[in-house]
Structures are given as structure tokens and as C-alpha cells.
Amino acid sequence: MRKELEGEQKTVSALMRLSAATRSAVFCAARAIVDDDRYDSVIAFGSGKLLGVSDRISPRAGFSEGNSLRCYDLPFGRTGVLVGSDFEYPELWRALALSDCKNCIVFDERVLTPLNENLLSSLAFTAGLSVFANFYDRSVLFSPDGAVRETAAGTFRTLPSDTESRKPKILNSKPRLFK
């Protein structure tokens, strides 16, 4: 993780201060080159601390393969992060549901297409998660029933969480664990 953040001390410090001042979680999408490998990553901060770095897991689009699916215990519930095209893999949603996640944050640099919006809606419903999807052109918040709760050009500043939960429908088999 140190190598991924090398040379970005000012940015990291500013994001840590922001998360401490607002007493909230802050997620920052970033591209990094570490030892000649390209990573598409999301850096998570919470209450003034660095929580971790989530990499894109699939090697699609020329990025190096990340080694773990990360979840963070936040005040609004356990939250998983999917980076780039990783949201297209149902086995990752199953792993999030098995990890007792209540929320999922998706970061993708592409434009949100109607097909991807329908896919995210159905995966939110199937996994029983609130999903915040941040794409190049807009952001969408899906409730666990797959309905669109909010949509905006650009990005949301916070992730509202549903207080009620239900048993995810995706828990049919145990997925491969990522290490």
C-alpha cells in the first residue's frame, strides 16, 4: 500500500483531514503504477485514518490483477468496494453478500449505459445491498430492492444507507475466497 501512495502525501493528508473533520468515510478513485504494474484502485479513509486500498480484481482493460476483495466496517454498515468492470462479475457480489456487507460502492471510469444500470439494479436486488455507483458521467444510488433512490450528474458526497435488511438471494454456494 505504501508504494501505491508514494508521492501523494499532500493528497492523502488532505483526504484524511476531510474524513476526520466530517467524521465520515471518504473514498478516492486513483490509478497507480507500482513496480511497472498498472492498478486501478480506490483508497478508503475513515475518521481521519487510512482504511485500505481496493484494487480492480479482474485483469480486464490492461490493468494488473488485484489480490483481494476488500470490505470496510463503517458507521453505516459493512461496505465493499468494486473497481472498474469488476461489478460485472456475479461471483464478486456473492462474496460481498457472504461477507455480511450491507453496502457496495462501485467506481468505474466509463459512461453509465442503460445496460450497466439494469445490471447494477439486478445485482443490488440479488445480493440485497445498497449500491452507490459512481461513473464518469453520473452517480446512482440503488436500494437493496434494486430501485433507483437517487441519481445525479457527477458524484454524491455521502452514501445513505438503508436501515432495514433482508437475506440476500445470491447465497446459493460458497465463492472462492480472494487472498
Side-chain angles (χ1 to χ4, degrees), residues 111-169:
V111 171
L112 180 61
T113 64
L115 178 65
N116 283 339
E117 188 170 347
N118 288 337
L119 177 62
L120 284 163
S121 173
S122 63
L123 289 169
F125 173 76
T126 307
L129 302 173
S130 292
V131 176
F132 165 72
N134 183 23
F135 281 73
Y136 177 75
D137 59 335
R138 63 192 172 111
S139 298
V140 181
L141 180 65
F142 299 92
S143 63
D145 65 1
V148 173
R149 286 189 55 200
E150 288 185 56
T151 186
T155 62
F156 287 108
R157 294 187 185 274
T158 60
L159 174 66
S161 178
D162 287 327
T163 54
E164 58 185 270
S165 63
R166 63 179 180 78
K167 182 151 176 80
K169 296 178 183 276

Side-chain angles (χ1 to χ4, degrees), residues 33-88:
I33 298 176
V34 180
D35 298 329
D36 295 327
D37 289 327
R38 289 178 19 169
Y39 291 95
D40 206 0
S41 304
V42 172
I43 305 165
F45 302 91
S47 300
K49 298 177 185 169
L50 176 65
L51 300 176
V53 177
S54 300
D55 293 322
R56 182 185 298 214
I57 294 170
S58 68
R60 204 166 158 187
F63 289 94
S64 300
E65 184 175 348
N67 60 4
S68 66
L69 179 63
R70 294 193 189 240
C71 299
Y72 304 98
D73 292 315
L74 301 172
F76 49 82
R78 191 164 174 85
T79 302
V81 176
L82 294 175
V83 184
S85 58
D86 284 349
F87 76 89
E88 298 170 0

Side-chain angles (χ1 to χ4, degrees), residues 91-105:
E91 61 270 21
L92 297 178
W93 290 91
R94 188 178 311 113
L96 290 175
L98 282 171
S99 298
D100 293 327
C101 283
K102 303 294 181 223
N103 308 294
C104 179
I105 299 176

